[in-house]
Amino acid sequence: MIDNIPVIPLADIINKFFNNNIDKITPVTKKISSGLGVFIDGFESFLNFMNPFVFIIIIGLLTWFLLKEKKLSVVFMVLLGVILVLGLWKDAMSTLALVITGTIVSLIIGVPIGIASGLNDTAEKIIRPIMDFMQTLPSFVYLIPAVMFFSLGKVAALAAILIFSMPPAVRLTSLGIREVPEDKIEASRSFGATKSQILFGVQLPLALKTIMTGVNQSIMMALSMSVVAAMIGAGGLGRSVLTAMQTVDIGMGVEGGLGIVILAIILDRATEKLAQKN
């Protein structure tokens, strides 16, 4: 009975669309790829050029003075020291450069979309199902169009990270805007504030804590995707985990996984404390 049901050839339709339009899209993606590639490589080179001990001290001082967290600064320095003595420093800096770049790009795109979603109900109805689709689609599926448009390498990995890490930024920015008390907005209007003044002077400052939570989640998503993206040339700690899987090297897998966990702890706690400060 199932054999008699007509089947929609969705895969053929999608493949035909991409095959017919790939020549129009790739010139644009190549320009984007070259620009992003230079930025990622430059950022990674800068992190690796810096003396590890200097980097560790800078992170400790920033945590101490900016976040006012003495104990946390010591914890961060110890954790970074663990990465150094395990011989994972170079790979960790490569992963860090990719994750930070991916998060920055996702926030540049995601926060304005979240603001539009928070301010406009029609926009929210359109954006929400798109974010649902992006968040529930298996992460491995992102690798296919990323490789098609950007070829193997860090830029393709960045594209996959961007798609995967953007939804939290969009959702929590929208939520933060919508949670701003109406009486605060009405009070601003009564004093003659324009829409842009209300947005930048009232709504965004009051929504900042929720937006920072979105930043935190975007970073965590980007870090988790960096492991999967190692399959398309992301490098870094994800490559160690992938190599360990292929060679059944438990020790290498534990080392790479530990490095990723340490980066996750540092980035998570730092952004969490920043959110609390606001």
Side-chain angles (χ1 to χ4, degrees):
M1 186 175 181
I2 295 177
D3 295 335
N4 297 325
I5 297 175
V7 176
I8 299 174
L10 181 60
D12 293 336
I13 294 171
I14 293 173
N15 287 334
K16 186 177 180 181
F17 171 79
F18 278 107
N19 290 334
N20 291 338
N21 293 279
I22 191 71
D23 293 334
K24 301 174 184 176
I25 300 172
T26 47
V28 178
T29 56
K30 282 182 179 178
K31 291 180 180 179
I32 297 172
S33 179
S34 60
L36 288 175
V38 170
F39 182 81
I40 297 170
D41 290 338
F43 190 18
E44 183 180 337
S45 298
F46 170 74
L47 291 177
N48 281 311
F49 173 77
M50 191 182 301
N51 185 287
F53 295 103
V54 173
F55 182 86
I56 291 171
I57 292 170
I58 289 173
I59 294 299
L61 291 174
L62 287 174
T63 307
W64 191 327
F65 291 108
L66 293 183
L67 300 181
K68 310 297 181 185
E69 294 284 344
K70 295 180 182 180
K71 291 181 180 179
L72 194 62
S73 68
V74 175
V75 171
F76 283 0
M77 288 192 290
V78 170
L79 290 175
L80 288 171
V82 171
I83 289 178
L84 181 60
V85 298
L86 287 176
L88 300 172
W89 188 262
K90 197 168 183 179
D91 285 343
M93 292 302 102
S94 177
T95 298
L96 188 62
L98 188 64
V99 168
I100 291 177
T101 304
T103 303
I104 290 172
V105 176
S106 69
L107 292 176
I108 290 172
I109 299 172
V111 170
I113 294 174
I115 292 172
S117 176
L119 295 175
N120 189 286
D121 290 337
T122 303
E124 199 270 341
K125 289 177 182 177
I126 296 171
I127 293 168
R128 185 173 180 179
I130 297 174
M131 293 300 107
D132 289 340
F133 178 79
M134 289 171 65
Q135 231 171 353
T136 54
L137 195 68
S139 56
F140 286 95
V141 179
Y142 292 135
L143 304 183
I144 303 169
V147 171
M148 180 181 289
F149 294 129
F150 299 101
S151 70
L152 292 172
K154 292 178 182 177
V155 178
L158 179 65
I161 288 172
L162 170 64
I163 299 171
F164 195 64
S165 64
M166 201 189 332
V170 175
R171 287 182 183 280
L172 287 163
T173 300
S174 176
L175 178 64
I177 294 291
R178 289 180 178 274
E179 284 184 338
V180 174
E182 190 62 32
D183 59 331
K184 304 284 187 184
I185 299 172
E186 289 300 328
S188 302
R189 286 193 187 125
S190 66
F191 283 102
T194 62
K195 288 183 178 181
S196 60
Q197 288 173 332
I198 292 172
L199 174 62
F200 292 104
V202 179
Q203 291 172 300
L204 285 178
L206 291 176
L208 191 56
K209 188 172 183 178
T210 306
I211 294 172
M212 285 303 300
T213 303
V215 173
N216 175 283
Q217 292 302 304
S218 291
I219 291 173
M220 293 300 102
M221 290 286 192
L223 193 54
S224 65
M225 188 63 184
S226 68
V227 179
V228 179
M231 297 178 65
I232 56 173
L237 294 170
R239 180 173 53 193
S240 298
V241 176
L242 181 63
T243 303
M245 290 176 61
Q246 293 171 337
T247 58
V248 198
D249 190 330
I250 299 174
M252 182 186 291
V254 171
E255 276 192 351
L258 182 60
I260 292 167
V261 168
I262 289 174
L263 285 183
I265 290 171
I266 293 172
L267 293 170
D268 178 59
R269 294 296 181 271
T271 51
E272 184 182 336
K273 292 297 180 183
L274 277 174
Q276 291 174 1
K277 294 291 181 185
N278 296 305

